[in-house]
Amino acid sequence: MAIVSVTNTSVTVNPLKQSQAIGATLAFLGLKGMLPLLHGSPGCSAFTKSPLTQHLRKAIPLSSTAMTEVSTIMGDEDKVEQAILQMVQRYQPEILGLCTTGLTETKGDDLRRLTKDIRHRYPELDNLPIVLVSTPDFKGTLQDGFAAVVESIVKEIPQNSGGCYFQQVVVLASSAFTPADIEQVKEIIAAFGLQAIAIPDLSGLLDSQWDHNYSGITGSGTTLAELQQIGHSVFTLALGESMRGAAKILEQRFNIPYEVFSELTGLGATDRFLQALADISGHNVPEKYRRQRRQLQDLMLHTHTYFGGKRVSVALEPDLLLSIVTFLQSMGVHIHTAVTTTRSPVLEKLTIPCVTIGDLEDFEQMAVGSDLLIANSYTTTISKRLNIPLYRQGIPIFDRLGHALSTKVGYQGTKQLLLDIANLFFQD
């Protein structure tokens, strides 16, 4: 069990942690017909939009209530009302996501009471779901904001009447998974004859954007009709420890059993996931995945000499940190340094001596002597100063192409991750 330490510096010099609003906006991009709306200043919106646009390499829909100094002091409720009415009139969203920021949280704005008043004054908004999420910048991280959106969705979206659909499962995927990861998970589930409703479904971000007609709302992702059917599912697959809260809500609200899969990378983790799908569906594991498992075993056998005894330093959000560290240890790697952003139950599950909650300045000091760094693109300069190769994971990744297409889940994704890292060791 790892000892969790927190750095005692009074100021963050080179931040690893990113705001909850970024994670919340990313989660909203996985819902079709969604219009994310930040209640805050234009600067708050810019600091949220910039890293996501860099990471996804495409324009994203995001609006702001555009608070000014005057509206902050004199009152800003009319700003929220005007923004909602204008967005509805202009873009006709199917669902609206409303996030707070550090500014409005500090003021103490009561958005739940405010949206209730707005609905009372404008009955035409009765059929528009508005997902409220508290995402102050001064606490929590990207992973927390992402999880808060998923919890709000499964808690607030009204459900259609009907029975239990025995082939339908809910997939709650944390911020640790790329769009290609989600697509891979859906493909694996479909191979067992099951229908998956992914919340959120970021796999649509992989689709081509040849339609030059700009839309202020998302064009892909989980539909509102699908969200209104999640209560009829037979099982919940929670991918990432941060999804446990949302899975518990589904269990309490609809009596849907769940299982949390902390990681889907590696031989053992994939075995457990496929066995769970076989138990739920009553079908055997398809031959396709048995063959992929044999290929992965063979690849692990031929590459283990490049991994054994290597010292790797990792700086990632807790869910992704656990997945990467567990996989590397299964290949004989020594974790030289582990830095993360916030407290999480998964940190104590790590089988390393210590994990530090800190920033990239701490990471640079502790990573000296490593053979490889694994972190986001903000670590590029550290990699150059220490003359240690960098394998990019996490958010944002803005200096490599095709990150959204990379996958690390299942036997196939593990093979890709294995080869990527092995080639870095090989060329070194």
Side-chain angles (χ1 to χ4, degrees):
M1 187 176 77
I3 297 174
V4 181
S5 66
V6 183
T7 55
N8 55 5
T9 53
S10 57
V11 64
T12 297
V13 177
N14 192 359
L16 169 66
K17 182 169 69 173
Q18 298 180 75
S19 79
Q20 288 197 71
I22 297 176
T25 303
L26 178 63
F28 280 139
L29 296 181
L31 306 180
K32 187 176 182 180
M34 159 61 70
L35 177 61
L37 175 62
L38 284 183
H39 181 32
S41 69
C44 295
S45 175
F47 278 118
T48 298
K49 197 165 191 172
S50 176
L52 287 178
T53 303
Q54 287 182 313
H55 181 70
L56 298 172
R57 289 186 175 273
K58 60 176 66 178
I60 62 168
L62 178 64
S63 295
S64 167
T65 54
M67 290 174 59
T68 63
E69 297 88 340
V70 174
S71 61
T72 301
I73 297 172
M74 302 301 292
D76 52 22
E77 294 191 352
D78 60 323
K79 285 276 188 181
V80 180
E81 181 175 317
Q82 289 172 12
I84 291 176
L85 294 177
Q86 288 176 1
M87 296 302 104
V88 170
Q89 182 181 17
R90 189 169 182 180
Y91 300 114
Q92 293 90 45
E94 297 176 34
I95 182 170
L96 195 149
L98 181 55
C99 305
T100 61
T101 60
L103 178 63
T104 54
E105 287 281 349
T106 304
K107 284 177 76 261
D109 287 351
D110 186 353
L111 286 185
R112 192 163 297 281
R113 189 268 307 163
L114 180 55
T115 52
K116 188 176 179 181
D117 292 345
I118 294 173
R119 286 188 185 280
H120 181 72
R121 287 194 291 274
Y122 301 94
E124 61 269 30
L125 299 178
D126 284 351
N127 294 325
L128 175 67
I130 300 177
V131 180
L132 297 177
V133 191
S134 173
T135 53
D137 306 285
F138 48 78
K139 68 177 183 180
T141 69
L142 182 152
Q143 177 179 293
D144 296 321
F146 193 99
V149 166
V150 179
E151 290 182 15
S152 293
I153 290 171
V154 299
K155 184 187 297 180
E156 297 179 10
I157 297 296
Q159 296 293 296
N160 292 331
S161 59
C164 181
Y165 304 157
F166 293 102
Q167 301 303 314
Q168 179 177 296
V169 296
V170 179
V171 177
L172 306 176
S174 79
S175 59
F177 296 91
T178 67
D181 286 338
I182 304 301
E183 187 162 86
Q184 179 79 351
V185 168
K186 288 168 59 181
E187 183 181 325
I188 293 173
I189 292 173
F192 284 84
L194 298 170
Q195 179 185 355
I197 298 179
I199 307 173
D201 186 356
L202 294 172
S203 63
L205 296 175
L206 299 172
D207 297 340
S208 300
Q209 301 290 325
W210 293 111
D211 184 359
H212 296 290
N213 296 321
Y214 174 76
S215 174
I217 60 176
T218 55
S220 62
T222 317
T223 65
L224 180 59
E226 289 175 324
L227 294 177
Q228 291 171 333
Q229 293 180 358
I230 57 176
H232 311 308
S233 303
V234 69
F235 202 84
T236 298
L237 301 162
L239 311 184
E241 184 63 32
S242 62
M243 293 292 105
R244 184 180 294 275
K248 285 184 177 178
I249 292 172
L250 285 176
E251 183 184 48
Q252 294 166 359
R253 190 178 175 193
F254 305 113
N255 200 28
I256 302 175
Y258 71 90
E259 183 171 355
V260 178
F261 298 88
S262 298
E263 68 269 2
L264 289 185
T265 302
L267 207 58
T270 306
D271 286 350
R272 287 190 291 276
F273 185 63
L274 265 60
Q275 183 59 56
L277 293 177
D279 294 340
I280 296 169
S281 65
H283 296 159
N284 293 326
V285 176
E287 175 55 31
K288 170 184 177 181
Y289 297 107
R290 295 176 186 271
R291 181 166 179 263
Q292 288 182 3
R293 190 182 194 280
R294 292 192 294 270
Q295 292 174 340
L296 176 58
Q297 279 183 305
D298 187 61
L299 190 61
M300 293 173 72
L301 181 65
H302 285 87
T303 57
H304 80 279
T305 54
Y306 298 104
F307 286 83
K310 295 290 186 183
R311 294 162 297 178
V312 177
S313 293
V314 187
L316 296 167
E317 295 265 3
D319 278 0
L320 188 53
L321 181 81
L322 174 72
S323 176
I324 295 296
V325 166
T326 304
F327 166 69
L328 291 174
Q329 288 182 315
S330 73
M331 293 297 296
V333 167
H334 169 68
I335 303 301
H336 185 69
T337 297
V339 177
T340 191
T341 56
T342 186
R343 290 190 179 276
S344 167
V346 303
L347 300 182
E348 295 182 351
K349 295 180 182 177
L350 292 167
T351 54
I352 57 178
C354 177
V355 58
T356 302
I357 298 175
D359 63 7
L360 290 177
E361 185 187 44
D362 305 312
F363 183 66
E364 182 171 358
Q365 294 171 356
M366 293 186 286
V368 175
S370 303
D371 297 305
L372 178 70
L373 308 180
I374 299 180
N376 62 29
S377 289
Y378 291 143
T379 320
T380 304
T381 54
I382 295 176
S383 169
K384 291 178 180 176
R385 283 195 293 268
L386 298 181
N387 194 27
I388 300 173
L390 169 66
Y391 183 66
R392 292 158 180 80
Q393 282 286 296
I395 299 172
I397 295 177
F398 49 76
D399 55 351
R400 287 292 182 275
L401 299 175
H403 170 70
L405 293 166
S406 69
T407 177
K408 58 187 176 301
V409 302
Y411 302 127
Q412 197 72 9
T414 303
K415 281 194 293 184
Q416 180 180 336
L417 181 68
L418 190 68
L419 286 173
D420 289 346
I421 298 177
N423 280 321
L424 286 173
F425 289 141
F426 181 67
Q427 70 183 16
D428 191 45

